[in-house]
Amino acid sequence: MTSTIGTRMTMVDGRERVTGTIDYAINIEKEGMLYCKAVRSPYAHAMITEIDTEWAEEVDGVVKIITFADFKDQDEMTPVFGAVLKDQLIVAEDRVRYVGDIVALVVAETWEAAEEAALLVDVDYDELPAVFDPVEAMADDAPRVHDLSEEKIGQQYYKIRPKFGTNACHHFRLRKGDMDGAWAESDHIVERSYTTPAAAHVPMEPLSTVAYFEDGHLYVETGNQGAFDMQKDMARMWNLPKDNVHVIVPSMGGSFGIKMGIRTEAAAVAAAWLTGRPVKCIFRYEEMFITINRHPSHVKVKMGVKNDGTLVGKQVTIHYNTGAYADSGPGVAQKGGFGSIGPYNIPNCHVDSYAVYTNTPPNGAYRGYAVTQVAWAYENMMDELAEVIGMDPVEFRMKNIIGDGDAYATGEIMHDSHYDTCLKAAAESVNWGEPLEPHPEPHIKRGRGVAVILKGTSTPTTSDGKLEVTADGRIIMHQAAAEVGQGARTVLAQMASVALGVDPNNIINAGTDTTKSPYDHRTSSSRETYMVGKALTGASNELADKLKQHAADQMEVDAADLILQDGYVMVQGAPDSKKALGEVVKDAGEESFSGFDSFTNEGGVSPDDGQGIASSHWHQGACGIQVAVDTETGRVELEKFHGVVYCGRVINHLTSDLQTHGSMIMGFGTTFYEAIELDEGQVTNPNLSDYMIPSILDVPDCMSHDLLEVEGADVHGLGETMVPIVGPAVNNAIYNAVGVRIRDLTITPEKVLRGISGQ
Amino acid sequence: MADFEWLEPQTIPEALKSAGELGEEAKLIAGGTWLAIVLKQGLLMPSALISLHNIDGLNDVRYEPGVGLRIGAMVSLTAAEKSPVIEKHFPELAYACRVVANVRIRNQATVGGCLCDADYASDPPSMFAALGARVVLQSQSGSREVAVRDFIVGHYETTIEYGEMLTEVIVPERNPSTSGVYLKYRTRSHEDRPCVGVSAIADINGDGVCQGLSIAVGAVANTPQLVDDVATLAVGKQLDAPLIKQIADGYADSIEPLSDIRGSSWYRQQMIQVHVKRALTQLGGVS
Ligand SMILES: Cc1cc2nc3c(=O)[nH]c(=O)nc-3n(C[C@H](O)[C@H](O)[C@H](O)COP(=O)(O)OP(=O)(O)OC[C@H]3O[C@@H](n4cnc5c(N)ncnc54)[C@H](O)[C@@H]3O)c2cc1C
């Protein structure tokens, strides 16, 4: 079998996926299983004065109604969790912090009984003043969502910098150069503010976990992107040795970040712990909209530039609304903080990036993590600045674009940089520089725009991989990358197959169980093909060597003359000599042979000055857009929609194309339609009729992309790259067409028309 | 969802009997695309659902000379959109059904259901209103006809009584010189409900003179909006650009639009103007 690297191999689980035979977490059933449903707060901020469960308990089939009283006065477990700050309880103690906060859990023999009883749990509240906007939440007199104390934070949370006395749970700073000098040196100083709304992830599969205890072991079968984070959390919460916590992760029906961190897991485990039976907890579709969304943001940018287009200084103040619980907010503030400079050389930079509590549903990881918000700001700003100095926006970007050997704002020296190539390709895709033919309809105006992106991958992190050949000839891949539908299992099997010369379809994926699987940091920041792929490549090389050594002894030949092909080892040029891999293992008197490798990307930045290595390498891309704007309605059609994604090396062209289509369409949806609407903290569009995502009919026919490869380069993740830059590229094109600049996502026809008509 | 009894009458009288006896306790269910959502949300909790699926005679589409088009209440929007009879006599009505939601909804949703749910953000109702259509309502005590424009009286509100059932919609016969157009304007996805829907029907004779004009604007207020005194400005005149503008402005000025996630009142006002203008221009307006 020749290597499949760089082919369009179909997904190893494609058939199962489209024929509906994958066992998703939501389909898992266990003998004697109960169902768990959350009872949620209708208030954004309130004290709970009484919970009356009497009526609910009378519903047939109800087994238990869990309130905070069940966790009081016991020391078996700790009912608090949180990705970074432990600020969330399984059920509220005496205070609710958002509309949707969980106040009780109903556990019943059937889902229907749990649903019915949930409506009958009677809770009395005393309302408290609430705050919904992250900037307002920073005011001295704003209601406080949590009371973070110095002692608690200082000891527990390395690298977290809350601003005590405010709602900021993390303050990330980046300091480089001298700002006073920068402003003095600038010919023009421009200040602008931009905002982005919350957005929903909308995976097809809702959130679901089945949990049960057996002989002192805890089993958590769940759709989650961070199996080992979960194992650590559950071990901590239930006071168990880590080895007794089995987090088992089946294939998922999409995630986009919603299945990162604790969602249904803590409730399911708590219910299993209190009832002694297996429990399935489901957060249904409408509940996903109030469980976790994308951080809304306010981004204030001040930039100094010289007349010749040289960038001198940049000051950024970011407020990410992390909602009622921190979740991954501190991480978002950090990654958006250092990401907010963009792919440009700017000698003086100053960033204050805050994750701020408010009384809205919590916000967390979302495809395009932290960067959608800041790229919206920086790529709009680049066009605004170009106009101020009277320079072409592409030329202006080119003049300042970062390249190999340049120091980024974090101080790290850039390598493997291709921002200029990406930008050039995006500009060419819309015939930049050539005259634009007017639209045949006089009320429709055309315009063009571009945007470029720099996005980090989590650093430092570790991934392990193990490959095994058994005496009965099975080849088993052990790894813990989550399959969310992105094709991880396919590309990883491809990479693992190379050294063994086998068909990736014949590699069995062992599945994820944290007590057996090799370690993996988590499936985030488009890191798995790069990280786990590297570990598995090393593992398969080691295994291939081992097989050759043993075969050489068994066949009495020189190991250097052996090759591995199609499941056999053979002397090069003498196919008759072939011996099945399983036979080699068997003849060595072993049950199996395996190879193992571990890969760590090194780095990290300081939260106090943002200096260090933010990303072991960077995700890079650009977008070229041509719009046609109907000046009577403000409706925008895309006439050209081109993505350029730097991949280093493409492992699989099919899945890479699909990921890029997906990220472009998600970028399109979050540019034009997708915003969580809040009224006094309550989500008013928690369904797919009111919260619209693009349908296939909305995807512009003109959508196209390039995947940029460089001989010998590292594999770069590509799953998120396009999401953040569709918005600013579209907005720049709209400005080019009709002179309207929208600074608050989303771009609606109404906002465009208001701009055109000066309303 | 609370428990309910499921009834499957085989004939119209049987259905009317159940509906008459159960009154407020029961809801008729057609395609269920609207009802299922409100049941799930617990906004309605009927103790019985009377399914109209097995009743013969509610699925017909026919054209009766001298009367007009008769569409059975249970005709699905897909069937209406594809019906050669509707396409032949009222192609703009077929079109207004074709642009509803997506194929999954249209396969299930019915003509009767889309009028009875009286959701303001709908497409076919404004077309029925502009065409001067009437609904036939039957009950155990008899039958009555109500013009669609009088039938829908508010958001989710019609003049139907408990025990009554909509059995068919009649679109009256018209002059062969009449044609119509439906413009659905969406601000978000192609599968979205309308921000503004303009149904315009004009009778223009061989000399280009307008003999009758009817315009109903949907999705902008609780009910389809007809502004007769503005529409009649066209009668006896050529639909030229100044007149079209006058009518478009007149519609925009006369309607007080609502605001929702698809557009504010201000925006809808602009969109009424633009789309009435575009509709009339398409209807053979002379420029
Ligand atoms: C996702 C989605 C998108 C949509 N998008 C659009 C859109 O773009 N444009 C648009 O116009 N509409 C849209 N709709 C609305 C859809 O057209 C209506 O839900 C549908 O027409 C209702 O018909 P039904 O047969 O399903 O009614 P049902 O849900 O069965 O009934 C609706 C109501 O009418 C009553 N009823 C039904 N039939 C009769 C009868 N014969 N006599 C008396 N009472 C009756 C029922 O009791 C109930 O109160 C959308 C709906 C959904 C769910």
Side-chain angles (χ1 to χ4, degrees):
Chain A
M1 178 87 193
T2 51
S3 161
T4 59
I5 304 295
T7 64
R8 299 186 68 82
M9 192 186 113
T10 52
M11 285 169 68
V12 291
D13 55 354
R15 177 170 286 273
E16 288 165 86
R17 205 164 269 282
V18 298
T19 52
T21 48
I22 288 183
D23 279 327
Y24 294 110
I26 200 160
N27 300 331
I28 295 168
E29 304 279 330
K30 297 281 167 203
E31 178 97 21
M33 185 175 86
L34 300 170
Y35 292 83
C36 174
K37 159 95 188 160
V39 178
R40 295 173 181 276
S41 163
Y43 293 103
H45 202 186
M47 298 305 293
I48 300 169
T49 53
E50 203 189 326
I51 302 183
D52 182 352
T53 58
E54 213 172 299
W55 285 358
E57 272 158 14
E58 279 171 21
V59 173
D60 245 10
V62 167
V63 173
K64 170 136 193 86
I65 294 173
I66 301 171
T67 64
F68 193 78
D70 290 295
F71 304 108
K72 261 196 166 137
D73 306 324
Q74 53 83 31
D75 51 14
E76 273 181 69
M77 57 80 67
T78 317
V80 24
F81 62 88
V84 185
L85 286 155
K86 307 281 175 259
D87 59 3
Q88 196 163 0
L89 291 164
I90 297 173
V91 293
E93 183 174 7
D94 50 8
R95 183 168 158 198
V96 289
R97 295 182 167 87
Y98 77 96
V99 178
D101 215 352
I102 298 177
V103 290
L105 297 166
V106 177
V107 191
E109 299 284 351
T110 64
W111 175 253
E112 290 70 22
E115 272 195 319
E116 191 185 335
L119 295 173
L120 298 174
V121 175
D122 193 13
V123 187
D124 289 337
Y125 299 91
D126 261 351
E127 256 192 285
L128 296 169
V131 62
F132 310 112
D133 177 89
V135 177
E136 285 168 21
M138 291 297 284
D140 288 341
D141 58 350
R144 295 280 290 284
V145 183
H146 291 269
D147 303 297
L148 298 180
S149 65
E150 181 106 46
E151 317 79 70
K152 203 172 146 194
I153 301 302
Q155 292 164 9
Q156 278 188 342
Y157 310 113
Y158 171 66
K159 285 196 171 184
I160 295 300
R161 303 284 184 271
K163 209 164 139 77
F164 296 111
T166 75
N167 281 308
C169 63
H170 183 51
H171 177 191
F172 170 84
R173 297 173 181 82
L174 185 146
R175 303 286 183 261
K176 181 198 181 194
D178 156 36
M179 296 319 292
D180 290 337
W183 306 137
E185 224 188 299
S186 302
D187 294 318
H188 302 275
I189 297 172
V190 178
E191 265 190 87
R192 296 281 186 271
S193 289
Y194 305 89
T195 69
T196 62
H201 302 77
V202 197
M204 283 206 223
E205 177 197 22
L207 302 167
S208 177
T209 301
V210 173
Y212 48 101
F213 287 87
E214 239 171 59
D215 305 330
H217 286 244
L218 167 61
Y219 296 81
V220 185
E221 302 193 24
T222 190
N224 197 284
Q225 293 174 243
F228 286 92
D229 294 336
M230 190 64 64
Q231 181 190 39
K232 197 168 136 199
D233 267 329
M234 294 298 148
R236 178 188 55 78
M237 290 174 79
W238 271 274
N239 230 337
L240 291 165
K242 239 165 56 178
D243 290 347
N244 289 17
V245 178
H246 305 246
V247 178
I248 296 161
V249 181
S251 249
M252 280 170 257
S255 174
F256 312 106
I258 194 172
K259 296 168 187 168
M260 176 91 83
I262 291 180
R263 304 288 170 247
T264 35
E265 291 85 356
V269 177
W273 176 67
L274 288 165
T275 60
R277 288 172 59 179
V279 175
K280 179 189 278 189
C281 178
I282 303 172
F283 290 172
R284 293 191 54 123
Y285 224 92
E286 53 278 17
E287 293 178 279
M288 288 206 280
F289 291 87
I290 49 171
T291 298
I292 206 93
N293 296 309
R294 185 186 71 195
H295 285 77
S297 71
H298 284 243
V299 183
K300 200 165 127 197
V301 192
K302 179 177 174 185
M303 284 179 91
V305 62
K306 288 189 188 170
N307 281 330
D308 70 353
T310 308
L311 289 171
V312 188
K314 180 170 190 177
Q315 182 170 359
V316 193
T317 310
I318 311 169
H319 291 92
Y320 284 107
N321 178 352
T322 204
Y325 299 101
D327 200 80
S328 61
V332 166
Q334 185 215 42
K335 291 216 168 57
F338 63 67
S340 68
I341 301 306
Y344 304 106
N345 284 309
I346 311 177
N348 306 289
C349 298
H350 185 114
V351 180
D352 292 291
S353 179
Y354 301 95
V356 188
Y357 286 127
T358 65
N359 297 109
T360 68
N363 298 296
Y366 188 105
R367 193 183 199 179
Y369 193 94
V371 174
T372 296
Q373 294 88 333
V374 292
W376 169 245
Y378 69 66
E379 281 304 86
N380 268 300
M381 188 68 173
M382 286 304 278
D383 266 41
E384 299 212 45
L385 275 184
E387 192 184 21
V388 168
I389 58 166
M391 202 164 170
D392 173 88
V394 172
E395 191 190 335
F396 177 51
R397 284 182 175 79
M398 278 297 184
K399 183 172 174 78
N400 293 289
I401 208 130
I402 203 160
D404 283 358
D406 292 335
Y408 186 56
T410 51
E412 67 202 271
I413 304 302
M414 300 305 252
H415 59 93
D416 208 355
S417 314
H418 305 276
Y419 304 96
D420 52 350
T421 318
C422 293
L423 171 57
K424 201 157 160 267
E428 275 168 11
S429 75
V430 293
N431 304 321
W432 195 270
E434 288 171 33
L436 186 55
E437 195 176 315
H439 196 277
E441 301 268 0
H443 67 278
I444 298 181
K445 302 288 181 217
R446 285 184 164 141
R448 294 177 290 212
V450 296
V452 195
I453 187 176
L454 153 151
K455 184 181 181 297
T457 189
S458 296
T459 306
T461 68
T462 297
S463 293
D464 298 345
K466 183 176 133 183
L467 200 65
E468 181 185 10
V469 176
T470 61
D472 58 7
R474 284 171 301 140
I475 302 166
I476 306 169
M477 171 169 94
H478 302 266
Q479 56 83 25
E483 176 62 65
V484 289
Q486 84 280 43
R489 286 186 187 165
T490 304
V491 293
L492 295 174
Q494 283 181 268
M495 293 170 93
S497 74
V498 177
L500 296 190
V502 296
D503 182 342
N505 286 297
N506 293 337
I507 295 184
I508 299 160
N509 184 65
T512 303
D513 174 338
T514 47
T515 61
K516 303 189 187 104
S517 305
Y519 176 77
D520 180 43
H521 174 68
R522 62 179 81 116
T523 301
S524 67
S525 70
S526 307
R527 62 184 288 286
E528 299 293 36
T529 309
Y530 171 52
M531 298 292 299
V532 181
K534 224 166 177 131
L536 279 170
T537 303
S540 83
N541 286 334
E542 184 182 299
L543 175 58
D545 284 347
K546 208 178 269 181
L547 285 163
K548 282 182 193 169
Q549 289 302 339
H550 282 272
D553 290 348
Q554 293 164 12
M555 295 158 76
E556 297 180 354
V557 295
D558 191 344
D561 294 333
L562 291 174
I563 57 164
L564 301 181
Q565 210 176 331
D566 298 331
Y568 295 95
V569 52
M570 61 189 81
V571 176
Q572 179 134 36
D576 289 351
S577 66
K578 72 181 186 183
K579 181 167 184 179
L581 299 181
E583 293 296 313
V584 177
V585 178
K586 202 154 88 190
D587 290 354
E590 302 283 343
E591 277 178 22
S592 80
F593 279 164
S594 61
F596 174 87
D597 200 8
S598 177
F599 179 59
T600 298
N601 59 346
E602 310 280 355
V605 291
S606 154
D608 300 313
D609 63 9
Q611 298 301 296
I613 293 178
S615 188
S616 54
H617 69 208
W618 296 84
H619 299 143
Q620 309 164 36
C623 184
I625 295 279
Q626 180 175 312
V627 292
V629 182
D630 183 329
T631 56
E632 292 181 344
T633 63
R635 213 182 143 94
V636 176
E637 301 294 336
L638 300 193
E639 296 189 319
K640 293 206 169 95
F641 181 16
H642 190 73
V644 185
V645 180
Y646 177 62
C647 304
R649 235 167 3 115
V650 173
I651 302 300
N652 184 320
H653 274 280
L654 177 71
T655 53
S656 300
D657 283 350
L658 293 174
Q659 278 298 296
T660 306
H661 290 163
S663 65
M664 289 176 80
I665 294 168
M666 200 155 173
F668 176 94
T670 48
T671 295
F672 289 112
Y673 314 147
E674 297 184 49
I676 295 277
E677 304 283 337
L678 291 162
D679 179 15
E680 295 291 296
Q682 174 161 14
V683 177
T684 56
N685 56 346
N687 60 69
L688 291 177
S689 187
D690 296 322
Y691 183 96
M692 283 237 126
I693 61 168
S695 84
I696 195 67
L697 294 173
D698 298 307
V699 177
D701 291 340
C702 61
M703 192 172 85
S704 59
H705 67 268
D706 299 325
L707 302 176
L708 201 68
E709 290 186 90
V710 168
E711 187 77 32
D714 254 344
V715 170
H716 282 55
L718 50 78
E720 303 172 87
T721 310
M722 287 307 298
V723 175
I725 41 175
V726 178
V730 166
N731 211 37
N732 289 336
I734 292 172
Y735 186 82
N736 183 241
V738 293
V740 171
R741 183 160 305 277
I742 289 160
R743 297 195 181 86
D744 53 334
L745 264 183
T746 51
I747 299 172
T748 63
E750 175 160 356
K751 288 182 196 170
V752 176
L753 190 71
R754 279 184 190 277
I756 291 173
S757 60
Q759 284 282 321
Chain B
M1 215 187 291
D3 277 346
F4 49 78
E5 203 185 342
W6 180 260
L7 305 176
E8 286 190 351
Q10 304 295 314
T11 62
I12 293 177
E14 248 181 72
L16 294 177
K17 182 158 180 283
S18 300
E21 283 170 6
L22 293 164
E24 287 186 38
E25 295 290 294
K27 280 305 271 182
L28 300 178
I29 180 162
T33 59
W34 181 84
L35 201 56
I37 293 175
V38 293
L39 291 177
K40 237 176 87 179
Q41 291 176 340
L43 297 176
L44 286 179
M45 295 186 189
S47 57
L49 290 184
I50 305 171
S51 162
L52 306 182
H53 281 97
N54 291 345
I55 300 179
D56 276 344
L58 292 178
N59 282 303
D60 296 341
V61 177
R62 61 203 158 84
Y63 192 82
E64 209 176 290
V67 177
L69 181 69
R70 309 186 80 117
I71 309 176
M74 288 298 286
V75 170
S76 72
L77 295 182
T78 298
E81 142 200 1
K82 298 213 159 112
S83 156
V85 179
I86 300 180
E87 186 64 40
K88 180 167 171 223
H89 296 279
F90 298 95
E92 66 275 27
L93 173 59
Y95 179 81
C97 295
R98 189 171 304 138
V99 293
V100 169
N102 55 53
V103 68
R104 301 173 298 285
I105 296 290
R106 292 195 297 277
N107 282 344
Q108 190 67 24
T110 64
V111 166
C114 85
L115 288 167
C116 289
D117 75 13
D119 193 315
Y120 74 92
S122 298
D123 297 297
S126 74
M127 180 51 79
F128 281 118
L131 289 168
R134 316 184 292 278
V135 296
V136 178
L137 304 175
Q138 285 191 33
S139 67
Q140 278 182 300
S141 53
S143 163
R144 61 181 177 129
E145 288 187 10
V146 184
V148 167
R149 60 184 295 175
D150 301 325
F151 177 65
I152 299 173
V153 290
H155 185 31
Y156 296 154
E157 212 183 325
T158 66
T159 57
I160 201 164
E161 305 276 339
Y162 287 108
E164 273 187 325
M165 169 180 158
L166 190 160
T167 51
E168 64 177 339
V169 186
I170 300 172
V171 187
E173 195 165 64
R174 64 184 180 186
N175 276 344
S177 52
T178 308
S179 63
V181 64
Y182 182 66
L183 296 185
K184 175 172 188 171
Y185 178 63
R186 307 168 181 90
T187 49
R188 305 185 298 175
S189 166
H190 280 78
E191 295 194 7
D192 201 2
R193 289 167 174 270
C195 168
V196 172
V198 172
S199 299
I201 314 294
D203 180 356
I204 297 175
N205 71 15
D207 302 327
V209 173
C210 184
Q211 309 183 101
L213 178 66
S214 159
I215 306 171
V217 184
V220 294
N222 283 342
T223 61
Q225 298 288 297
L226 296 103
V227 190
D228 294 338
D229 49 349
V230 173
T232 49
L233 288 175
V235 176
K237 300 190 191 126
Q238 288 215 329
L239 272 180
D240 58 8
L243 179 60
I244 288 177
K245 182 169 183 311
Q246 194 188 356
I247 294 171
D249 289 347
Y251 259 80
D253 291 344
S254 311
I255 298 169
E256 236 178 85
L258 47 73
S259 293
D260 69 9
I261 206 162
R262 299 177 189 87
S264 70
S265 177
W266 173 83
Y267 185 65
R268 279 192 156 91
Q269 200 127 38
Q270 317 303 308
M271 292 307 94
I272 294 169
Q273 203 277 346
V274 169
H275 290 90
V276 169
K277 184 187 79 181
R278 289 182 181 180
L280 295 185
T281 307
Q282 269 191 36
L283 278 179
V286 282
S287 41

